[in-house]
Every structure is written in C-alpha cells, then in structure tokens.
Amino acid sequence: MELASAAPHAATTGLDVVVSSVASDSHTWNLIFLQLLLEELGHRVTNLGACVPDQLLVEHCRDRRPDLVVISSVNGHGAVDGRRVVARLRAEPELAGLPVVIGGKLGISGAGNRRHVSGLLQAGFDAVFDDSTGLGAFHSFVGALPTGRPRLPGAERRSGARELAGARDLSGALALTAAGAGS
C-alpha cells in the first residue's frame, strides 16, 4: 500500500532518469541497484540494461527527453566507452544540456582510475563518480537537480547542472559493491 501511495508523488516531483551501461559492459547488477536506489529516492527510472549501443541511448534520450542519464560501468572500460557515448549525446543539439553522469569502475588501474575523472568531465559528463568512495556525492548531485521544471534549451540546462552540484569538484562514487551487490 505504501508503494501505491508513493507512486503519484514520484510522478509529480521526481526526475525522469535513464540508467544504462556502456556498449561493452554486460553486467546488470549495478544497473538494477541504481534503478532501485533512484526509485526509492522518488524518481522514475528507465533501465536500458547492459551492452547498450551508443545509438540506442542517443535515440532513446532524443525521443524521451529524460532529466538525467546515469551511466554505470563495472567492466573497467567506462572511461573509454564513456568518452565515446557522451560525445554522441553532446553532438545532438537537443541533448546538449541533458545532465549526464558516469560512475563505477572507469578503468583497470585500481586507485589509478582517478586519472580518468578530469578527461571524462572535459569530454562532456556533468559529473564523474569513481568506485573508491560511497554514494554521498551521487545523492548530492541528483538531489541538487531541479524537478518539475520546464525544459530549458540545451546549453542552459547543462551549465546549470554543473553549477548546482559543483560537479567539477566531485570525487564521490557509485561504489555499488559497498552496498552489498555482487559481481
């Protein structure tokens, strides 16, 4: 009964969020965890699943105009695949301002994966969350995005998301294994 009463509230106040992996990542547990987390926070989630081709993500976002895209990778190729997919999203004028974040295992260098953060931000992500810490920064970023707002032109939405969350300074993570999920 609580779920039924929460649904109308989420429909009017939460964000429309797309959760996706990168094209090379076949893991699903991380995507399910993120979907459940975001839904519990009151957002509506479309989970595109594993091994999502770049063009499918672009077309889905162009057709549905979500408020946020969350890309998660645990196979160690997040930095490489992430740069490519965010370039495709940003190349679409109507998606240029869409807040897009990436998190998880961004490379195969353990603690050295932090070196990918600045490059991914420069490539067009609004925030990057490596796998070295908890979910606090991710919660803060999502919580800072406005809900129930009219759609703004691309560039205005994107710069607003960066300013709201201080995304360039985020060093938080989507440390999904800390939440008890397995690979």
Side-chain angles (χ1 to χ4, degrees):
M1 201 173 248
E2 287 182 16
L3 290 177
S5 64
H9 178 69
T12 59
T13 61
L15 298 170
D16 288 316
V17 182
V18 171
V19 171
S20 179
S21 72
V22 292
S24 69
D25 197 329
S26 64
H27 294 89
T28 58
W29 59 267
N30 53 318
L31 304 173
I32 293 167
F33 174 83
L34 285 167
Q35 177 180 345
L36 294 172
L37 173 71
L38 288 161
E39 287 174 345
E40 188 166 310
L41 293 172
H43 306 296
R44 294 165 305 285
V45 178
T46 301
N47 186 340
L48 296 181
C51 297
V52 176
D54 297 352
Q55 190 58 35
L56 176 64
L57 179 61
V58 169
E59 288 171 5
H60 181 83
C61 291
R62 209 174 32 228
D63 292 344
R64 302 295 298 264
R65 303 293 173 98
D67 298 308
L68 173 65
V69 174
V70 177
I71 297 174
S72 178
S73 178
V74 295
N75 72 352
H77 300 287
V80 173
D81 288 351
R83 280 185 186 90
R84 186 188 63 245
V85 73
V86 79
R88 299 223 27 212
L89 288 165
R90 297 299 182 221
E92 299 291 326
E94 63 270 31
L95 301 178
L98 171 64
V100 181
V101 302
I102 189 168
K105 188 173 180 185
L106 303 174
I108 57 170
S109 302
N113 289 335
R114 299 265 319 123
R115 66 185 169 88
H116 297 296
V117 172
S118 64
L120 289 164
L121 289 170
Q122 290 173 354
F125 283 99
D126 293 286
V128 176
F129 307 96
D130 74 333
D131 66 350
S132 66
T133 61
L135 290 168
F138 178 69
H139 279 227
S140 295
F141 181 88
V142 173
L145 292 173
T147 60
R149 72 207 175 313
R151 303 267 185 214
L152 297 175
E156 293 170 18
R157 269 185 85 181
R158 184 158 179 237
S159 65
R162 285 182 185 268
E163 292 168 15
L164 278 172
R168 293 185 190 271
D169 300 323
L170 288 177
S171 60
L174 297 179
L176 305 178
T177 54
S183 59

